[in-house]
Amino acid sequence: MAPPARRPDESALSYTFRFTPAEWRHLLEDRTFLAAPDNSWLPPRRLMGLPVQIVPDHRVART
């Protein structure tokens, strides 16, 4: 049986990047980060247009 059809934008809306504070700082140190219009370091944080969540540790349960 084929998987149910999704709206084209549905998968993008359901994905969130998760970074530790150190990983996020490393991305921000790249001077080209803010040159991209779909990146934002202020809440709501975004990377390539997708939401970013800062987690203390990658072992933190996803909600």
Side-chain angles (χ1 to χ4, degrees):
M1 177 181 237
R6 288 183 170 182
R7 294 186 335 230
D9 59 332
E10 186 177 333
S11 62
L13 294 175
S14 65
Y15 190 83
T16 299
F17 286 106
R18 289 178 176 82
F19 296 107
T20 64
E23 291 168 334
W24 185 241
R25 272 192 309 272
H26 182 75
L27 280 172
L28 294 177
E29 288 172 357
D30 182 354
R31 296 186 188 270
T32 62
F33 176 82
L34 292 176
D38 52 355
N39 291 345
S40 174
W41 66 279
L42 291 173
R45 295 172 183 95
R46 307 208 49 90
L47 176 63
M48 297 185 298
L50 296 173
V52 170
Q53 180 182 23
I54 306 300
V55 296
D57 190 303
H58 286 292
R59 294 174 290 186
V60 172
R62 296 178 187 190
T63 57

